[in-house]
Amino acid sequence: MSAGPAVDPRGPRFAAIVTTVVLAVVLVTQWWPLLALQTVVFAIGAFVGLKPAPYSVLYRLVVAPRLGPPTEREDAAPLRFAQAVGFVFALVGTIGFATGVPPLGVVATAFALFAAFLNAAFNFCLGCQVYLLIKRFSPARASS
C-alpha cells in the first residue's frame, strides 16, 4: 500500500524545525534571496526526492548518527506532497518580495511558516493530511 520509500519520521521533523527558522527570518527581514533558497530546498524534496534534499542530508550526516535507529518509518509520498505545497507558497512569496509586492510575500511566507511550525512544534504535517484527504476522496480510489 506504500506509495513511496519509507523514511525515518524524525528527519522530516528536523527539516520542519530548520524550515521554521528560515521562514521566520524571512518574515522578519523580508530578504527574498533566503526565501528563494528555501524554495529550492522545497523543490528538491518535492520533485527530486527527500533523500537528496539539503535538510535530509544534514539530518543523515549530523543528527541521525547521534540517535538510535528509528522505531517506525513513514511513507515518503505525503511528505513529498507537503514539500510541493511548501514550494508553491515559497515561490509565490519569493515572487512577491522580489517584484516589490511585500504583502504577497508576507502572506505566502506566513502560510508556509504556519505549516512548518505545526510540524516542528506538534509533529502535525498539514500537507501530509491534505495529501491523505485527497487520496481518500479521489475518484480513482472510489472506483476501486
Side-chain angles (χ1 to χ4, degrees), residues 10 23 27 45 76 102 116 118:
R10 299 171 297 181
L23 293 175
L27 273 183
L118 282 177

Side-chain angles (χ1 to χ4, degrees), residues 8 17 50 53-57 73-74 90 98 120:
D8 177 350
I17 293 167
L50 296 175
Y55 303 154
S56 296
V57 172
R73 311 286 285 175
E74 65 184 21

Side-chain angles (χ1 to χ4, degrees), residues 9-89:
R10 299 171 297 181
R13 188 152 189 205
F14 171 79
I17 293 167
V18 176
T19 300
T20 296
V21 172
V22 168
L23 293 175
V25 169
V26 169
L27 273 183
V28 170
T29 65
Q30 296 190 9
W31 191 47
W32 70 264
L34 181 59
L35 185 56
L37 288 174
Q38 180 61 52
T39 304
V40 170
V41 170
F42 280 137
I44 293 168
F47 307 118
V48 178
L50 296 175
K51 190 171 184 175
Y55 303 154
S56 296
V57 172
L58 183 62
Y59 173 78
R60 277 194 321 279
L61 295 177
V62 177
V63 179
R66 292 164 173 70
L67 304 174
T71 58
E72 60 182 306
R73 311 286 285 175
E74 65 184 21
D75 185 12
L79 298 166
R80 288 186 68 177
F81 178 83
Q83 292 288 297
V85 172
F87 167 77
V88 170
F89 279 101

